[in-house]
Amino acid sequence: MSFEFIKCPIEGLWEIQPKVFGDKRGYFFENYSEKDFFEAGLTMRFVQDNQSKSKKGVLRGMHWQTKHPQGKLVRALEGKVYDVAVDLRSGSPTFGNWYGVILDSEKNNMFYIPEGFAHGFYVLSDEAIFTYKCTDFYHPEDDAGLMWNDKTINIDWKSVAKGIEPLLSEKDSRHPAFDKNRKYFDENGIWIGGDWTE
């Protein structure tokens, strides 16, 4: 197998480390293999690849899609980011909990976030190129998000930001707070939250 699959403390999240083969000429590694992923029980199908470039201090999040939820396999192609997922699956024992992974282009590690989670990242390096594979297509009418610094969820951005104030888009600065009494997704990552209005 060309990957190490590491279960994270929240069910459904995985950190994935590819085996890197390198010498003085450079390196080679597989960044995805359906065969290996399926053998590990990760039988999702990807339909779209996305890429973004951001400078240090940029925070993008916390995002998801409602009626067309996306599972995402994310990694830093260049640079380093702090990548975070929040469990929005109603009935999950970790509903409202978050987990973060530092994705580093020198380490080449990846993070899989299934449907039913909010997702975001903060750029730690001078700039970062971030890439991700998605299990559904982008549907702008389904865009949704949570406040990046919601006090109930309480994501620890400060320990990685080291005093650098996050740079947010106008849209990301206006997301609503988390509501622990609201239904978002079911245990399978299917949207049950009705019409979403921010």
Side-chain angles (χ1 to χ4, degrees), residues 1-6 15-23 26-33 35-37 39 75 105-110:
M1 190 173 283
S2 298
F3 304 86
E4 180 185 4
F5 295 90
I6 305 159
E15 184 177 0
I16 301 158
Q17 180 64 58
K19 291 181 181 176
V20 180
F21 303 92
D23 56 29
Y27 67 81
F28 169 85
F29 69 92
E30 295 177 14
N31 56 31
Y32 176 71
S33 165
K35 175 180 174 291
D36 285 358
F37 274 60
E39 283 182 12
R75 72 184 182 104
S105 61
E106 292 188 7
K107 188 178 176 184
N108 298 302
N109 59 325
M110 297 174 276

Side-chain angles (χ1 to χ4, degrees), residues 29-196:
F29 69 92
E30 295 177 14
N31 56 31
Y32 176 71
S33 165
E34 184 180 272
K35 175 180 174 291
D36 285 358
F37 274 60
F38 276 34
E39 283 182 12
L42 300 177
T43 57
M44 74 293 281
R45 299 277 182 164
F46 296 111
V47 298
Q48 181 174 316
D49 284 13
N50 299 328
Q51 185 169 308
S52 68
K53 183 177 181 179
S54 305
K55 63 182 183 178
K56 188 170 188 172
V58 166
L59 193 152
R60 299 182 186 269
M62 300 295 297
H63 305 146
W64 73 87
Q65 290 192 159
T66 56
K67 297 179 180 69
H68 297 88
Q70 294 174 308
K72 296 176 181 177
L73 179 64
V74 300
R75 72 184 182 104
L77 193 61
E78 290 184 15
K80 188 185 294 187
V81 306
Y82 185 49
D83 200 87
V84 175
V86 177
D87 189 354
L88 296 181
R89 299 169 299 181
S90 299
S92 165
T94 52
F95 176 64
N97 291 5
W98 64 275
Y99 184 75
V101 173
I102 292 179
L103 299 175
D104 188 340
S105 61
E106 292 188 7
K107 188 178 176 184
N108 298 302
N109 59 325
M110 297 174 276
F111 189 30
Y112 179 66
I113 303 140
E115 297 86 347
F117 285 75
H119 169 253
F121 65 90
Y122 176 86
V123 179
L124 302 171
S125 49
D126 288 340
E127 62 180 28
I129 297 177
F130 186 79
T131 182
Y132 50 107
K133 305 176 82 66
C134 300
T135 60
D136 203 343
F137 299 104
Y138 174 57
H139 292 264
E141 71 278 9
D142 282 351
D143 268 350
L146 286 179
M147 187 184 300
W148 67 278
N149 58 350
D150 178 85
K151 288 181 171 51
T152 301
I153 295 171
N154 198 27
I155 298 169
D156 181 14
W157 301 108
K158 289 183 179 178
S159 64
V160 295
K162 301 190 186 305
I164 299 174
E165 197 65 25
L167 300 171
L168 299 160
S169 69
E170 183 182 348
K171 184 176 181 180
D172 284 351
S173 69
R174 293 186 285 104
H175 291 313
F178 173 69
D179 181 353
K180 65 181 180 181
N181 296 313
R182 181 191 174 109
K183 291 190 181 299
Y184 294 89
F185 295 92
D186 70 9
E187 65 276 7
N188 298 310
I190 297 170
W191 181 250
I192 54 174
D195 291 333
W196 178 264

